[in-house]
Amino acid sequence: MALQDVCGLHNSPLFPQWSAPLSRSFMPENSTHLSGGGIHGEAFSTRLPGRGGLSPLEFYMPIAEYLTESPINFGQTSLTSAPTKLLEIDHLHPSLPSISLPPPTPFPVSPSVPLPFTLSHGTTTLGFAFQGGVIAAADTRSSCSGLVACPASPKVLPIHSHLVGTTSGTSADCALWKRILARELRLYQLRHHRRLSTGGAAKLLSHMLHPFKGTELCVAATLCGWDGDDEKHEQPITEKHANTPTNQMTASNSIVRSRSRICGPRVIYVCSDGLRLQGELFSVGSGSPYAYSILDSSVYWGMSVQEATEVAREAVYRATYRDAYSGNNVDLYHVTAKGWRRRERENLKEEYYREKERERRVIAY
Amino acid sequence: GSLMMISARAFGDNAQMKEHHYTGPVEHKFSPYAFNGGTVLAVAGEDFALVASDTRLSEGYGIHSRDSPKCYKLTDTTVIGCSGFHGDCLTLTKIIEARLKMYKHSNNKNMTSGAIAAMLSTILYGKRFFPYYVYNIIGGLDEEGRGAVYSFDPVGSYQRDTYKAGGSASAMLQPLLDNQIGFKNMENVEQVPLTLEKAVQLVKDVFISAAERDVYTGDALKICIITKEGVREEIMPLRKD
């Protein structure tokens, strides 16, 4: 039934006996379902126990010709587009053990449907690591080419107890992919009895986004997390790192040793273009140049939690001051060995008035 | 400015009429979307929720129907308002209702508002590359009986709000709601919680204003009031011009 196909009834894992295997003959001619389920899913599940071969999310990919050639001919000339054949769902992608990816699209730059609306964009987000953990901060304005679609959208999303991700780009893409990532990490945790590291999570997200490279998906996330099994491993590390500014030589050795133990704060930038970078400080979004100016001058490894919070807040504030697409409030999360802690959302409107007041007093004297 | 320049250029050096510039024949690609207008609004209170919509269905310069409300009742505690492209609204609500039935049959209970919102987000994102051109707002009661409003963008990004306007007049209504319900940008004002009577009156006033200034909004207003007793409807006429 058409409605069953669209609702995903055949993919429901609860009642496998209800669903007929997905075969080519069931699919309507002019569309194609990009799913890893069905016959190939079954083949997959015998090789890879656990997932059952389902793709992260079933996507409907419109075929180009359907959109350039109208079913009703008004004498339009058809645009020359690369001929697309039906997707070759035959070859499988065993790139990742825990999930099966949809096969790569044969039309890398698909002429997608011309949308009559714009999607939300524009932001300032930042994340940096220091001796006391990781700070992730962002503004809360979600704009849709000129209109503020939402003045209070959360851009720092917790993924699990020790990992938060900042989101920049299209809000729907970021929200959904974070949700998919959280689900995959939870499954990993249940199967392997330990949390996946930040680096692993970043690699997973990057690989999940890879099949959509070239499409209009836009996700630029900074994953900020704390890796480590339990608290007693963290104690010696924080002491060593606190010594960093005083003794560079021995400190760098200790840093190398602690990095190889894969423990401690971690900040990794993942982008839908395929970029995946590890670093100590990242700022993403239209307001990032302004945030960088504050962060580059004030962030250092040995700073205290209080200082780090101040700097992050100031950086977002300065960015909202100058960037039209950032504004409203600032959200701040602090990730330590004990997990993430959220600072009360602060409305920056008050801060503008406070600053004007300070300026007025300075000029008066 | 520009109008004067065109008329000055109409007379060239020899004071003879020059041809006006025009872009030439424009080829319109077939668009699978249409814009059918309409405005939807939802407000959440302490123990109630309201979902209101106008009932005009238009396309271009014409009105298809004056009695096409955009609120759809999903369960006894949830109502969804969909505006945008009417074809996609109908299909989307059909899919949501089918999924609700599937859930009821496999889990032997109705879906909660939060669950419906999360499910709608994945349904919308499944068509990320050929989106449903629908602006959705879900209004209902959460598990604790408090009012909840969930607002969506066409591709599935959503969050819980206290109030939200969507559709053609949303840009006009949202600032008014920010001020009256959110008490934004008001100094020294006592923030009393919203009662049901006050909320209904506010919604009526807000739609009357929207019908004045937005051509796609008008004809009649339908308000669905969701309380623990169930869903009640109220209809009020609006400008028909």
Side-chain angles (χ1 to χ4, degrees):
Chain A
M1 274 204 318
L3 195 58
Q4 258 184 325
D5 286 342
V6 181
C7 288
L9 179 57
H10 57 269
N11 267 345
S12 165
L14 292 173
F15 301 102
Q17 64 269 26
W18 285 10
S19 51
L22 196 71
S23 63
R24 229 45 92 74
S25 59
F26 275 76
M27 292 200 219
E29 253 184 16
N30 279 344
S31 71
T32 180
H33 279 274
L34 202 67
S35 69
I39 359 169
H40 316 289
E42 279 148 43
F44 232 109
S45 58
T46 53
R47 281 203 278 159
L48 309 166
R51 256 231 96 198
L54 292 171
S55 70
L57 193 67
E58 205 174 288
F59 280 107
Y60 174 77
M61 294 294 216
I63 290 204
E65 271 114 23
Y66 183 66
L67 302 163
T68 53
E69 285 171 21
S70 163
I72 307 165
N73 249 338
F74 289 113
Q76 289 163 308
T77 55
S78 60
L79 299 171
T80 51
S81 55
T84 58
K85 28 186 205 306
L86 261 186
L87 284 192
E88 314 276 290
I89 314 186
D90 293 322
H91 71 276
L92 301 167
H93 238 260
S95 57
L96 213 61
S98 61
I99 62 172
S100 71
L101 298 172
T105 55
F107 40 93
V109 187
S110 57
S112 54
V113 185
L115 294 177
F117 50 80
T118 48
L119 302 171
S120 328
H121 263 91
T123 186
T124 304
T125 68
L126 59 96
F128 62 88
F130 68 109
Q131 62 82 20
V134 188
I135 297 278
D139 74 312
T140 60
R141 173 175 291 181
S142 177
S143 50
C144 236
S145 77
L147 174 68
V148 176
C150 182
S153 56
K155 293 193 198 174
V156 187
L157 304 172
I159 298 174
H160 64 61
S161 59
H162 287 71
L163 178 64
V164 300
T166 68
T167 60
S168 169
T170 312
S171 7
D173 290 332
C174 294
L176 263 294
W177 282 104
K178 283 279 158 58
R179 215 167 137 189
I180 292 169
L181 181 66
R183 181 187 71 189
E184 294 302 321
L185 294 183
R186 179 73 183 137
L187 288 172
Y188 184 93
Q189 189 181 353
L190 290 169
R191 288 185 191 128
H192 300 92
H193 307 292
R194 66 178 183 93
R195 281 195 307 272
L196 188 57
S197 65
T198 312
K203 201 173 220 180
L204 184 59
L205 182 61
S206 177
H207 286 199
M208 287 201 291
L209 289 173
H210 176 70
F212 302 98
K213 186 175 160 74
T215 65
E216 71 233 4
L217 218 62
C218 183
V219 176
T222 311
L223 296 181
C224 310
W226 185 285
D227 301 333
D229 287 324
D230 46 49
E231 273 178 53
K232 64 175 166 60
H233 285 297
E234 311 328 329
Q235 276 309 105
I237 292 174
T238 49
E239 284 166 22
K240 278 185 203 130
H241 287 186
N243 286 334
T244 308
T246 57
N247 195 338
Q248 292 290 343
M249 281 303 291
T250 54
S252 58
N253 287 341
S254 66
I255 287 168
V256 167
R257 263 185 281 130
S258 64
R259 287 274 187 272
S260 65
R261 251 198 290 172
I262 320 173
C263 263
R266 193 73 99 219
V267 180
I268 304 179
Y269 170 70
V270 179
C271 164
S272 53
D273 295 334
L275 189 59
R276 181 167 49 92
L277 292 175
Q278 195 205 304
E280 283 194 358
L281 168 69
F282 285 105
S283 175
V284 188
S286 52
S288 61
Y290 310 107
Y292 271 128
S293 63
I294 305 289
L295 295 169
D296 285 335
S297 58
S298 311
V299 168
Y300 60 100
W301 185 262
M303 61 199 313
S304 66
V305 175
Q306 170 92 355
E307 274 181 279
T309 315
E310 279 295 313
V311 168
R313 190 189 148 285
E314 183 70 14
V316 176
Y317 170 61
R318 290 289 154 210
T320 60
Y321 193 75
R322 279 288 176 182
D323 180 31
Y325 292 99
S326 309
N328 296 101
N329 310 312
V330 56
D331 274 338
L332 211 143
Y333 281 69
H334 177 214
V335 189
T336 53
K338 298 196 192 80
W340 55 260
R341 203 175 44 92
R342 183 169 179 248
R343 189 170 158 271
E344 179 89 28
R345 174 176 274 190
E346 185 192 341
N347 193 343
L348 288 172
K349 193 176 67 157
E350 316 296 322
E351 184 59 29
Y352 292 126
Y353 289 117
R354 276 200 292 267
E355 188 169 9
K356 275 277 170 294
E357 187 57 37
R358 278 198 294 270
E359 271 170 33
R360 197 188 59 79
R361 263 187 263 129
V362 164
I363 292 167
Y365 290 120
Chain B
S2 57
L3 197 62
M4 279 169 48
M5 280 167 60
I6 291 171
S7 51
R9 271 201 310 197
F11 293 90
D13 295 331
N14 304 333
Q16 283 170 353
M17 286 280 274
K18 282 201 311 191
E19 280 172 36
H20 291 280
H21 286 285
Y22 71 113
T23 43
V26 178
E27 183 186 331
H28 290 286
K29 210 161 92 157
F30 168 68
S31 168
Y33 297 113
F35 180 62
N36 293 117
T39 307
V40 183
L41 170 54
V43 177
E46 191 57 45
D47 57 353
F48 67 90
L50 299 177
V51 180
S53 76
D54 71 322
T55 58
R56 173 176 289 180
L57 190 73
S58 40
E59 187 169 347
Y61 289 111
I63 297 177
H64 284 311
S65 165
R66 294 195 191 276
D67 186 22
S68 168
K70 292 156 192 64
C71 320
Y72 301 90
K73 179 175 162 205
L74 297 178
T75 66
D76 281 331
T77 55
T78 317
V79 173
I80 187 171
C82 310
S83 67
F85 171 41
H86 194 62
D88 276 346
C89 294
L90 293 175
T91 302
L92 187 61
T93 46
K94 209 178 274 188
I95 290 178
I96 295 173
E97 276 156 18
R99 291 286 294 264
L100 285 179
K101 278 195 197 123
M102 284 159 59
Y103 185 93
K104 180 82 193 277
H105 292 145
S106 9
N107 298 286
N108 200 22
K109 66 180 182 105
N110 287 322
M111 279 185 96
T112 58
S113 303
I116 296 177
M119 178 186 75
L120 180 55
S121 173
T122 40
I123 293 175
L124 292 171
Y125 200 73
K127 293 254 285 165
R128 168 69 174 81
F129 301 105
F130 186 8
Y132 289 109
Y133 180 16
V134 187
Y135 290 93
N136 294 289
I137 305 183
I138 290 180
L141 301 177
D142 65 8
E143 286 108 320
E144 287 142 31
R146 279 199 286 270
V149 164
Y150 296 92
S151 59
F152 293 77
D153 81 348
V155 276
S157 154
Y158 80 106
Q159 64 175 75
R160 185 168 173 175
D161 286 316
T162 317
Y163 54 87
K164 186 79 178 170
S168 55
S170 59
M172 288 180 220
L173 300 185
Q174 191 66 32
L176 182 56
L177 296 178
D178 282 334
N179 184 270
Q180 291 296 310
I181 304 181
F183 302 107
K184 300 260 175 81
N185 304 312
M186 287 213 277
E187 305 286 325
N188 306 322
V189 66
E190 190 194 333
Q191 300 193 2
V192 290
L194 201 61
T195 59
L196 176 59
E197 292 73 28
K198 200 151 174 292
V200 172
Q201 192 50 53
L202 184 65
V203 166
K204 287 180 179 167
D205 289 337
V206 145
F207 264 90
I208 290 171
S209 311
E212 291 289 322
R213 288 288 184 175
D214 180 31
V215 302
Y216 297 111
T217 305
D219 293 331
L221 165 66
K222 179 169 163 189
I223 309 180
C224 296
I225 302 164
I226 307 145
T227 51
K228 61 180 192 300
E229 277 94 43
V231 179
R232 195 182 79 210
E233 288 176 8
E234 251 187 67
I235 301 188
M236 186 190 85
L238 291 174
R239 286 184 78 114
K240 295 189 179 357
D241 59 357

